[in-house]
Amino acid sequence: DGGGVFVYLFTMTEGISIIIPAYNEAHAIADTVQRAFSACRNIGKPHEVIVVDDGSKDGTGDLAKQAGAIVLANPQNSGYGISLQRGIREAQYKYIAITDSDGTYPIEDLGRLYAEMQKGFDMMVGARQGSMYEGSMVKSFSRKVFKWLAEYTAGRTIPDINSGLRMFRKDLALQHLPQTCFGFSFTTSLTLIFMLQGYFVGYIPIAYHARVGKTKVRHLRDALRTLQVMTQVIMRYNPIKLFLLLALGVCVLAVFVGIVGMAFNNGLLFLGGWMLLSAALIIFSMGFLAVR
């Protein structure tokens, strides 16, 4: 209808909307907004900077508004993903760029992302480099596990699964917002969805700096949520990969149990190995039923 046509044309207006989710970031938000405006001026395209104030109590929203940003205020703290979803829906331009408000990302590199987008990419991501990105041993290990799972699912190399500095087409993102995560795993879910849908996703290396202020991330909680979100995305867009992985795990266990049964001449264990092998075949077959 006419309203639908209007929304479509409005969504596709040439330009860049930078969305910055922020929760109690009064110490860094003004500088972040100013850097975002500077990056857009260097690109030379129509632009806007949207700060989604996620229930801050320290005046973050007021400081962002004073710096020239459009401020969307959530009535309560709702999460990184929800804030980005709201900003994406409210943005007026064709290209969406996102960055954090804590000074960790080189916002000045948005020009490089935009230049690559003009080559036909649907999403360009800044792949973080340096010691600040590596973090602790536990954090680095969990990141490698999720990276491997994402690469296995997507069937391609993924330099950075959840970088918070990226640019993408608004029209494509809107189609899949209901399937993205409400929390810190928003970028992970968006990356996987774009790749599993066959969109063009590219990467450029970027520096990563120490944040200003205290982190809001809770590593164990957010790692579990990331695993949940990745599982949901895989089940929706490429379920056979998940069932194959589960079947292989059960198959390895079946072989182990069977070998132990033969080594100790234990018929019960040997039979258990065959039963596990049958279960692996059933699990793999269920993957075909899950494909829609």
Side-chain angles (χ1 to χ4, degrees):
D1 57 18
V5 172
F6 174 77
V7 171
Y8 177 78
L9 292 175
F10 186 71
T11 300
M12 294 301 293
T13 301
E14 186 70 26
I16 303 168
S17 297
I18 300 182
I19 302 172
I20 307 171
Y23 174 57
N24 289 340
E25 299 285 1
H27 43 276
I29 190 62
D31 180 64
T32 300
V33 170
Q34 291 165 4
R35 289 169 59 205
F37 275 119
S38 177
C40 286
R41 285 193 293 269
N42 289 336
I43 294 173
K45 295 294 181 180
H47 58 270
E48 63 183 350
V49 176
I50 300 174
V51 171
V52 184
D53 180 11
D54 194 23
S56 299
K57 306 297 183 184
D58 63 350
T60 292
D62 292 334
L63 291 171
K65 189 175 295 183
Q66 292 171 19
I70 299 168
V71 176
L72 306 176
N74 294 341
Q76 62 184 29
N77 182 242
S78 302
Y80 175 80
I82 288 180
S83 296
L84 284 173
Q85 289 177 359
R86 184 180 182 189
I88 291 169
R89 292 189 179 99
E90 295 291 333
Q92 65 172 308
Y93 292 121
K94 177 180 179 179
Y95 296 111
I96 302 291
I98 65 173
T99 188
D100 289 354
S101 57
D102 55 14
T104 50
Y105 288 101
I107 304 175
E108 296 72 22
D109 283 338
L110 285 178
R112 296 169 60 203
L113 296 178
Y114 180 80
E116 293 298 315
M117 291 289 291
Q118 303 315 297
K119 298 177 182 179
F121 283 100
D122 301 306
M123 178 189 290
M124 281 300 303
V125 185
R128 293 167 289 180
Q129 313 285 316
S131 58
M132 294 308 303
Y133 173 57
E134 291 299 324
S136 66
M137 185 179 298
V138 174
K139 184 179 179 180
S140 179
F141 174 76
S142 63
R143 184 183 292 118
K144 285 182 172 63
V145 171
F146 290 130
K147 182 177 183 292
W148 175 86
L149 180 58
E151 290 179 338
Y152 163 76
T153 304
R156 58 161 289 181
T157 300
I158 303 177
D160 191 339
I161 185 64
N162 65 335
S163 171
L165 181 69
R166 60 184 62 206
M167 186 178 292
F168 48 88
R169 285 172 47 185
K170 176 182 175 178
D171 59 333
L172 296 182
L174 283 177
Q175 296 176 33
H176 305 286
L177 277 190
Q179 284 73 53
T180 56
C181 177
F182 287 171
F184 280 105
S185 300
F186 173 88
T187 47
T188 301
S189 57
L190 191 66
T191 300
L192 276 178
I193 289 170
F194 266 54
M195 289 183 175
L196 293 175
Q197 287 294 101
Y199 300 149
F200 296 110
V201 180
Y203 284 85
I204 61 170
I206 62 170
Y208 189 67
H209 309 292
R211 69 163 284 131
V212 178
K214 185 178 179 181
T215 181
K216 312 297 190 305
V217 177
R218 299 294 178 265
H219 295 298
L220 178 59
R221 179 198 65 187
D222 292 317
L224 292 175
R225 288 181 178 175
T226 299
L227 182 60
Q228 174 192 349
V229 168
M230 291 181 72
T231 302
Q232 290 173 337
V233 170
I234 296 169
M235 278 297 298
R236 181 177 181 86
Y237 294 96
N238 197 357
I240 192 68
K241 284 288 187 82
L242 180 61
F243 282 94
L244 176 59
L245 186 62
L246 294 173
L248 284 175
V250 176
C251 189
V252 169
L253 180 61
V255 172
F256 174 77
V257 171
I259 291 175
V260 172
M262 287 190 294
F264 290 93
N265 197 27
N266 187 314
L268 188 60
L269 280 177
F270 188 73
L271 177 62
W274 277 106
M275 293 177 66
L276 285 170
L277 186 60
S278 300
L281 292 174
I282 292 172
I283 292 172
F284 181 63
S285 300
M286 289 173 62
F288 290 99
L289 297 176
V291 175
R292 291 181 283 181

